[in-house]
């Protein structure tokens, strides 16, 4: 797999990137710190039973991480630096949902080399579950990262 960024000067207002992921129980586990000896399956189901939602609810940070993943791997990609993010969590995300994350450049700050990015996450029913704005400093030099395995990454500045 190859990750390649888009440099500030090549980014256009209205440019967007999209990623879709199925939410799995392991996503909750990846973000949870449970007391020793406690089963995630039991904890997630008990939590869901006490909520007004059907199913195990994923932490809001999971959807925020999806936005970060699109920004850091696609637009602008490797070399992007987060400056700020303001998100609103409109609906719960539960295990089994298919979440589509879309980021769209809505403004460019030429003085600081930063982008204002509209961020949206929607579920399989086209309901907006998270929305907001991120401010990101875009890279000025081309970067390519070739990922040969989960442990081996090769940085190549000449894509």
């Amino acid at each position: 797999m190859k990750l390649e960024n888009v440099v500030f000067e090549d980014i256009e207002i209205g440019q967007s990137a999209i990623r879709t992921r199925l939410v799995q129980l392991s996503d909750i586990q990846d973000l949870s710190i449970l007391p020793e000896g406690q089963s995630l399956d039991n904890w997630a189901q008990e939590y869901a039973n006490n909520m007004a939602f059907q199913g195990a609810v994923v932490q809001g940070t999971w959807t925020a991480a999806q936005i970060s993943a699109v920004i850091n791997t696609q637009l602008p990609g490797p070399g992007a630096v987060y400056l700020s993010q303001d998100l609103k969590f409109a609906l719960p995300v539960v295990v089994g949902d298919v979440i589509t994350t879309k980021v769209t450049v809505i403004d460019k700050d030429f003085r600081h080399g930063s982008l204002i990015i509209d961020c949206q996450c929607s579920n399989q029913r086209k309901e907006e579950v998270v929305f907001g704005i991120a401010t990101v400093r875009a890279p000025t030099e081309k970067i390519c990262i070739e990922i040969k395995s989960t442990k081996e990454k090769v940085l190549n500045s000449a894509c």
Side-chain angles (χ1 to χ4, degrees), residues 2 7 21 26 50 84 125 151-152:
K2 183 177 177 181
V7 295
R21 287 232 9 230
S26 61
N50 291 323
S84 68
R125 292 176 296 283
K151 294 181 181 179
E152 185 180 0

Side-chain angles (χ1 to χ4, degrees), residues 21-23 27 31 58-67 93 99:
R21 287 232 9 230
L22 170 67
V23 182
D27 294 320
L31 293 173
V58 177
Q59 301 92 325
T61 52
W62 184 88
T63 47
Q66 300 313 298
I67 293 167
V93 174
I99 301 299

Side-chain angles (χ1 to χ4, degrees), residues 3-145:
L3 300 178
E4 186 174 336
N5 69 0
V6 184
V7 295
F8 181 81
E9 66 183 33
D10 294 340
I11 295 173
E12 298 179 16
I13 292 176
Q15 191 168 348
S16 62
I18 297 174
R19 170 186 180 157
T20 301
R21 287 232 9 230
L22 170 67
V23 182
Q24 300 178 6
L25 190 59
S26 61
D27 294 320
I28 295 174
Q29 185 173 10
D30 291 344
L31 293 173
S32 295
I33 300 173
L34 295 175
E36 188 175 333
Q38 200 167 26
S39 165
L40 178 65
D41 294 334
N42 294 337
W43 177 82
Q45 194 56 54
E46 183 178 323
Y47 177 76
N49 290 340
N50 291 323
M51 301 299 290
F53 316 121
Q54 292 297 321
V57 177
V58 177
Q59 301 92 325
T61 52
W62 184 88
T63 47
Q66 300 313 298
I67 293 167
S68 178
V70 175
I71 289 171
N72 286 298
T73 63
Q74 294 177 254
L75 183 65
V81 176
Y82 252 94
L83 300 175
S84 68
Q85 187 175 43
D86 181 24
L87 299 176
K88 306 292 185 242
F89 298 87
L91 291 172
V93 174
V94 298
V95 171
D97 277 347
V98 176
I99 301 299
T100 299
T101 303
K102 181 178 182 183
V103 301
T104 304
V105 177
I106 58 173
D107 199 7
K108 289 178 75 169
D109 179 345
F110 289 89
R111 190 167 144 228
H112 297 103
S114 60
L115 307 170
I116 306 297
I117 299 176
D118 178 67
C119 307
Q120 300 176 341
C121 295
S122 57
N123 62 23
Q124 66 277 10
R125 292 176 296 283
K126 309 285 187 238
E127 298 168 323
E128 193 171 57
V129 296
V130 175
F131 61 94
I133 300 292
T135 303
V136 176
R137 184 170 301 123
T140 56
E141 296 180 18
K142 197 71 172 163
I143 299 173
C144 291
I145 301 173

